[in-house]
Amino acid sequence: MTTRMSASEIDAYLDEVFPQLHYGGRTYFIEAVGPMTARMRCDYHEKHLRPGGTISGPTMMALADLALYAAILAQIGPVGLAVTTSLNFNFLRKPGQTALIGEAKLLKLGKRLAVGEVGLYSQGEVEMVCHATGTYSIPVAR
C-alpha cells in the first residue's frame, strides 16, 4: 500500500488548515509516514511540564492524536473533516525530560472509520510511557 501524502505534504497541509497547532512556536513534527503508520516528535519544552517536572498528560494526548491523524492523512489524502471520535490513554510510566516520540499504526481503515494505536516513548528509550488507542470518523466523499 502506498501513501497519498508525504510527511512534508501533511506538514504543509496542517500549517494551512490548522495554524493554531503551532501557537507559541512549533513543537510537533512529523518525522515519517508509511503504509498505515506515522512517526511524530514533540520537542521537550518547559511549557509542557506539569507540577513534579513531568510532561503533562494533555501534551502526550495531543501528540498521540496528531500522530493518528497524520497516519490517516497519509492514507486518504487531505481530508480536513476526518475527526477524532474517541481516544483512550494508558499512562504507563513517567516520561523523561526529553522529546517524546509517537509511533502510530492504523489497525483498520474503512470508508467511514479509522482505528489505530499509538505508542509514546521518551526519545532514545525503548520502554513505552503511554499507550493510546483512537477512532476517527471519515466524512463521506462527495
Side-chain angles (χ1 to χ4, degrees):
M1 177 180 274
T2 60
T3 59
R4 294 186 68 188
M5 292 180 82
S6 68
S8 61
E9 290 170 328
I10 295 169
D11 225 7
Y13 178 71
L14 291 176
D15 286 349
E16 176 187 332
V17 300
F18 195 29
Q20 63 273 32
L21 174 64
H22 303 302
Y23 176 78
R26 186 174 290 269
T27 300
Y28 297 98
F29 300 87
I30 302 169
E31 293 193 333
V33 296
M36 305 287 278
T37 64
R39 177 184 167 100
M40 289 197 69
R41 182 183 81 251
C42 173
D43 281 348
Y44 176 82
H45 192 279
E46 66 182 20
K47 70 182 176 183
H48 296 163
L49 299 180
R50 59 166 294 237
T54 189
I55 296 174
S56 70
T59 299
M60 290 189 274
M61 292 174 181
L63 177 60
D65 193 23
L66 284 165
L68 276 177
Y69 190 46
I72 292 166
L73 291 178
Q75 298 308 303
I76 67 173
V79 179
L81 293 178
V83 295
T84 310
T85 59
S86 70
L87 283 173
N88 181 59
F89 294 87
N90 295 298
F91 298 100
L92 306 173
R93 59 188 44 83
K94 182 178 176 179
Q97 292 186 349
T98 185
L100 280 179
I101 304 298
E103 297 278 355
K105 178 175 126 182
L106 297 179
L107 304 173
K108 178 187 186 308
L109 180 60
K111 291 180 183 178
R112 297 296 314 258
L113 289 177
V115 178
E117 67 179 352
V118 182
L120 298 182
Y121 302 84
S122 294
Q123 189 169 35
E125 298 294 326
V126 296
E127 291 188 341
M128 192 181 296
V129 299
C130 180
H131 179 259
T133 57
T135 303
Y136 272 70
S137 176
I138 301 169
V140 176
R142 297 185 185 229

